[in-house]
Amino acid sequence: LQQDSGTYYQRIVNLGQLPEQAQIEQLQYEIAGDDGLSDFQRAALLGSLAELAKDWPTARSHYQEALATGKPGAASLRLPVVLMRQGRREQAYASLRAVQDNPGVSDEIRREAFRIEVQFNRVLRADAAQQDSVYRRALAYWPDAHDFRFQYAAHLFDQGRIEPSLAQWRDIIRQTPANAEALNAYGYTLAKDLDRPKEGFKPIRRAYLLAPGQGEILDSYGYVLHRLGRDREALPFLQRAMGLTPSAETAGHLAKVY
């Protein structure tokens, strides 16, 4: 059958489930000799195959060749990953930031570059200031990027910076009042971590009314009812939460109610 970049890429994905060197080499030969592919497509596909073979220098060369065609795309995101694999941390970060700060690149690609930097920082256990800067730079470009703001709030919370995390969740709720996940996180933090269940009840109830089928929200609702001394009301919510998304935390809440 006639091949194109899409079918080649799907074959690479399928091959990735159980990579064999002979099959990788055969596919490399096919792609390299296919005149129907553009220079960009050929270089990007060969870069993906080199990654599959864990041949990082060759992958880096192919991705740089793809980017030299002037078509920023997935290759601009894979290059920093390959650089990091080679231990070239400064180059990897510089490559990501070049994508993040380039208005000529699509927002989708630029946002993904920020997500990759977050992942790098987690793996390398970067200090708090470095991790904060990624979220702040992303939010400076996209103040209404609720996924970044939610991750930033969770990051602040994990570091024990409760009040700053609450401020981020409040921003999300102000921008999107029907954001059930933010309402739930905000209310649960008030109820449990700041020991203010009366204040936490209202946002958690709003979250429940918006998303009554989410196990995490059912758990929060049952927990805050328990904290308010309303154990008989709390019980069915915690039982449903345990049935939908069983967890040690929900089990603990349910045990307290019992």
Side-chain angles (χ1 to χ4, degrees):
L1 296 174
Q2 180 67 37
Q3 301 291 294
D4 59 23
S5 63
T7 53
Y8 279 127
Y9 182 72
Q10 187 57 54
R11 288 171 66 186
I12 293 170
V13 171
N14 293 339
L15 187 57
Q17 297 171 8
L18 190 64
E20 295 182 8
Q21 187 59 34
Q23 291 179 306
I24 291 173
E25 291 175 359
Q26 173 61 34
L27 194 48
Q28 284 173 329
Y29 177 79
E30 288 183 49
I31 292 170
D34 191 333
D35 294 334
L37 296 171
S38 69
D39 291 340
F40 170 78
Q41 290 170 334
R42 184 179 298 104
L45 289 167
L46 290 173
S48 295
L49 274 173
E51 273 199 85
L52 199 58
K54 298 183 179 179
D55 183 352
W56 312 124
T58 300
R60 175 168 56 89
S61 177
H62 283 308
Y63 286 140
Q64 288 173 333
E65 182 183 346
L67 293 174
T69 64
K71 293 183 177 181
S76 64
L77 299 174
R78 297 312 306 167
L79 178 59
V81 174
V82 169
L83 289 168
M84 188 63 77
R85 289 282 192 177
Q86 292 183 284
R88 303 184 179 202
R89 294 183 182 181
E90 290 186 9
Q91 288 179 267
Y93 278 109
S95 180
L96 279 177
R97 287 165 189 168
V99 176
Q100 294 164 357
D101 299 333
N102 185 351
V105 180
S106 72
D107 278 0
E108 181 182 1
I109 295 291
R110 292 172 68 199
R111 290 188 187 204
E112 188 60 29
F114 278 104
R115 293 188 185 97
I116 292 172
E117 187 172 356
V118 168
Q119 292 171 2
F120 282 175
N121 287 339
R122 286 175 180 166
V123 171
L124 298 174
R125 297 183 179 179
D127 61 41
Q130 186 175 347
Q131 295 183 60
D132 287 354
S133 71
V134 183
Y135 293 108
R136 286 199 298 266
R137 286 189 294 110
L139 291 169
Y141 283 121
W142 304 286
D144 59 346
H146 308 308
D147 54 341
F148 279 117
R149 196 172 293 281
F150 196 98
Q151 288 178 34
Y152 187 30
H155 160 72
L156 292 167
F157 178 84
D158 289 342
Q159 291 188 323
R161 297 155 68 184
I162 305 300
E163 288 296 344
S165 72
L166 287 173
Q168 295 300 321
W169 278 313
R170 279 195 296 268
D171 279 346
I172 299 173
I173 294 166
R174 185 173 59 252
Q175 294 172 3
T176 54
N179 190 313
E181 288 77 13
L183 285 163
N184 182 60
Y186 179 65
Y188 189 73
T189 302
L190 286 171
K192 185 168 187 178
D193 297 281
L194 295 183
D195 196 25
R196 288 148 56 181
K198 288 183 180 180
E199 289 180 56
F201 175 77
K202 186 176 179 180
I204 292 173
R205 177 168 172 75
R206 284 172 59 194
Y208 166 70
L209 293 173
L210 288 163
Q214 286 193 24
E216 186 174 315
I217 293 174
L218 287 166
D219 172 64
S220 297
Y221 196 26
Y223 172 78
V224 76
L225 286 169
H226 158 68
R227 289 297 310 279
L228 294 172
R230 298 160 62 178
D231 284 338
R232 291 193 180 279
E233 291 177 70
L235 185 59
F237 293 104
L238 292 171
Q239 289 173 328
R240 285 173 59 198
M242 197 64 183
L244 287 169
T245 53
S247 71
E249 187 168 26
T250 302
H253 297 161
L254 192 55
K256 287 179 181 179
V257 168
Y258 281 139

